């Protein structure tokens, strides 16, 4: 949730920067600025909600859904930084896959891949020109799937370690009661 806030801040900095040389010119500046403000607000709300929630799976799915939607719109509006946006989304997918069951983690990766593919073809047909190489899009799709698949064994290891810690804690409590 904190990384999402960082991403929202970076997007806001990119579209609201007072230095003309550092500002990214969106194809539709008002839409880009509105997206940055909405993402910043959603990132703050999700950060506050993450501190109070016990429903991690639902919160993770909502958060990564917001991230995918914003990344798709932002990569369409700011095609010159689309690879950077996709790289930041890669981290979000990995973190989500770490918190979700394997099927949901892979589903998130597929959704992100399809979303960026849709954005690519939207730009291709709307403008008649390819915003970036198709090979780049395919590499990101494979990377999304790979990070989701590789995060799952790490999640299993964390679950095993947590179960062992719980068992050791229960044993320590029983030993303390005996003494």
């Amino acid at each position: 949730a904190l990384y999402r806030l960082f991403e929202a801040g970076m997007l806001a900095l990119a579209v609201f920067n007072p230095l003309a040389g550092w500002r990214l010119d969106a194809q539709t500046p008002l839409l880009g600025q509105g997206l940055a403000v909405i993402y910043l607000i959603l990132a703050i709300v999700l950060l506050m909600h993450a501190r109070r929630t016990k429903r991690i799976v639902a919160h993770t799915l909502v958060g990564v859904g917001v991230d995918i939607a914003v990344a798709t719109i932002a990569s369409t509006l700011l095609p010159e930084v689309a690879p950077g946006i996709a790289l930041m989304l890669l981290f979000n997918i990995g973190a989500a896959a770490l918190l979700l069951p394997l099927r949901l983690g892979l589903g998130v990766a597929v959704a992100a891949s399809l979303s960026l593919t849709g954005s690519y073809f939207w730009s291709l047909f709307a403008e008649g020109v390819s915003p970036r190489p198709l090979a780049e899009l395919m590499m990101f799709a494979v990377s999304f799937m790979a990070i989701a698949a590789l995060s799952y064994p790490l999640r299993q290891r964390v679950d095993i370690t947590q179960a062992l810690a719980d068992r050791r804690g229960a044993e320590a409590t029983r030993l303390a009661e005996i003494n």
Side-chain angles (χ1 to χ4, degrees), residues 121-169:
F121 284 113
W122 174 267
S123 296
L124 183 64
F125 292 128
E127 298 169 15
V129 104
S130 174
R132 55 191 178 271
L134 184 59
E136 175 185 300
L137 181 67
M138 291 177 6
M139 285 187 284
F140 279 121
V142 169
S143 298
F144 292 161
M145 297 301 290
I147 194 74
L150 292 174
S151 294
Y152 186 71
L154 183 59
R155 179 189 176 186
Q156 287 179 317
R157 176 72 59 117
V158 168
D159 288 345
I160 290 168
T161 304
Q162 181 64 43
L164 180 62
D166 291 343
R167 194 169 54 237
R168 298 280 191 238

Side-chain angles (χ1 to χ4, degrees), residues 65-91:
V66 167
D67 295 335
I68 290 170
V70 169
T72 302
I73 296 168
S75 64
T76 303
L77 291 175
L78 305 163
E80 62 272 1
V81 293
I85 292 169
L87 280 175
M88 290 197 304
L89 184 60
L90 182 68
F91 181 83

